[in-house]
Amino acid sequence: MILIADSGSTKTAWAALTGGPDPLMFRTSGYNPNYMTADEILDDMGENFPEDLDPMEVTEVYFYGAGINDATSPVLFGVLHEAFPNAYRMMVESDLLGTARALLGHESGFAAILGTGMNSCLFDGEKIAANVGSLGFLLGDEGSAGYIGKTLLRDYLRGNMPDEVRKEVAALVEGKTDAQVIAQLYSQPKPNTFCAGFCSWVTGTMDKYPYCRDLVATSFRAFFRDVICLYPDYASYSLNCIGSVAYICKDTLARVADEFGMKLGTVLQEPLEGLVEYHSKA
């Protein structure tokens, strides 16, 4: 059995290739090693894997994840070796490489993620050829759900939004005081996921509130200004994107891309289907 995983900070989408006509698809929590320990990941896998999936039958694992780099990949390798002891082939790579493979296959081009977090790259058909660092939730992630939610909360806490919007955001924070909201951000785990949780409300009220529409567009402009424009000759590529924010706000993303002289290419909500095709061919 072959397991393929696409893991973000919020959720992990899995496909198990069992030899049948269709893969077994399921989800677990997101396994970002910057925010979870190995034991926490193993416990979550034990609780959320399908009961009819026997870990001892897994022979190959291809894991693409947010937060995967040279420093954190050993954590995931250790987790996967413990969870699937009979797997003779195992790969742990960044979600960015997974995105490029899902969008472009073996073709060269530009690929980006706009989901809970953000990342981008130039892909040469085999590997990532150039990458302007995302810098993560604290310093970067422009255009992502976490960035949009963080900006919303900043404006809320400073009173920098229309009264009708502020009333709705007050309901979203469930009566928390400003100090409690700040404490949630600075002292609780997964502050990126906490902020990203507000993004669906923002994107769902873009037609109702100009503030929300402008917030999304401004976040995308920051994504282009501070990230995309740093790639040499960026406008010669189309912007191919994966992620819930890119997918839901595709029209706004296309308009902002056009402002910066770039055309929008393929936009997918999730990469797993493309990764199943990629590894099935391989």
Side-chain angles (χ1 to χ4, degrees):
M1 184 191 307
I2 299 173
L3 274 184
I4 303 168
D6 168 61
S7 182
S9 295
T10 305
K11 64 182 181 299
T12 302
W14 296 82
L17 310 186
T18 60
D22 298 308
L24 171 65
M25 313 286 276
F26 60 96
R27 293 176 184 270
T28 61
S29 300
Y31 299 145
N32 188 324
N34 291 305
Y35 304 114
M36 294 183 75
T37 66
D39 287 341
E40 288 172 335
I41 295 172
L42 279 167
D43 287 345
D44 189 89
M45 290 172 66
E47 292 175 2
N48 293 300
F49 262 53
E51 293 183 0
D52 56 348
L53 192 154
D54 185 354
M56 305 305 288
E57 294 181 0
V58 175
T59 56
E60 300 178 48
V61 183
Y62 302 98
F63 186 97
Y64 299 91
I68 299 297
N69 52 44
D70 290 343
T72 59
S73 62
V75 175
L76 263 301
F77 269 116
V79 166
L80 296 174
H81 277 296
E82 185 167 347
F84 311 109
N86 291 335
Y88 61 83
R89 181 174 296 160
M90 200 167 284
M91 185 205 75
V92 175
E93 294 285 358
S94 71
D95 57 347
L96 185 57
L97 181 61
T99 290
R101 286 177 170 176
L103 285 167
L104 299 166
H106 290 285
E107 301 296 322
S108 61
F110 195 98
I113 300 167
L114 284 175
T116 300
M118 176 277 295
N119 213 336
S120 62
C121 72
L122 288 177
F123 183 62
D124 67 5
E126 295 296 330
K127 64 184 185 300
I128 294 171
N131 168 241
V132 174
S134 163
L135 304 184
F137 173 70
L138 290 178
L139 295 179
D141 271 356
E142 294 89 340
S144 69
Y147 185 90
I148 291 170
K150 178 171 64 175
T151 305
L152 178 78
L153 289 177
R154 182 193 66 196
D155 287 352
Y156 170 75
L157 293 170
R158 290 176 173 170
N160 186 28
M161 57 175 50
D163 289 341
E164 65 268 25
V165 175
R166 182 172 173 78
K167 288 178 182 178
E168 292 209 32
V169 177
L172 293 176
V173 300
E174 300 175 337
K176 290 185 176 72
T177 65
D178 289 3
Q180 288 172 326
V181 173
I182 293 170
Q184 176 79 41
L185 284 168
Y186 283 93
S187 62
Q188 298 299 313
K190 294 190 174 182
N192 59 330
T193 304
F194 173 69
C195 287
F198 294 91
C199 184
S200 60
W201 178 83
V202 174
T203 59
T205 55
M206 290 171 64
D207 291 336
K208 182 179 180 181
Y209 295 126
Y211 166 86
C212 293
R213 186 166 58 249
D214 292 343
L215 173 55
V216 172
T218 299
S219 297
F220 286 162
R221 290 188 185 103
F223 170 58
F224 274 88
R225 182 189 65 242
D226 299 336
V227 180
I228 302 301
C229 290
L230 300 183
Y231 287 93
D233 201 25
Y234 72 92
S236 65
Y237 300 92
S238 61
L239 176 65
N240 303 289
C241 237
I242 276 178
S244 56
V245 178
Y247 187 79
I248 294 168
C249 304
K250 181 165 58 175
D251 291 343
T252 303
L253 184 59
R255 287 196 296 271
V256 173
D258 190 63
E259 292 176 15
F260 287 84
M262 197 175 193
K263 298 300 181 184
L264 192 63
T266 301
V267 178
L268 302 175
Q269 190 164 13
E270 295 184 346
L272 192 59
E273 185 176 344
L275 288 173
V276 168
E277 181 179 358
Y278 180 91
H279 284 289
S280 295
K281 288 180 178 179

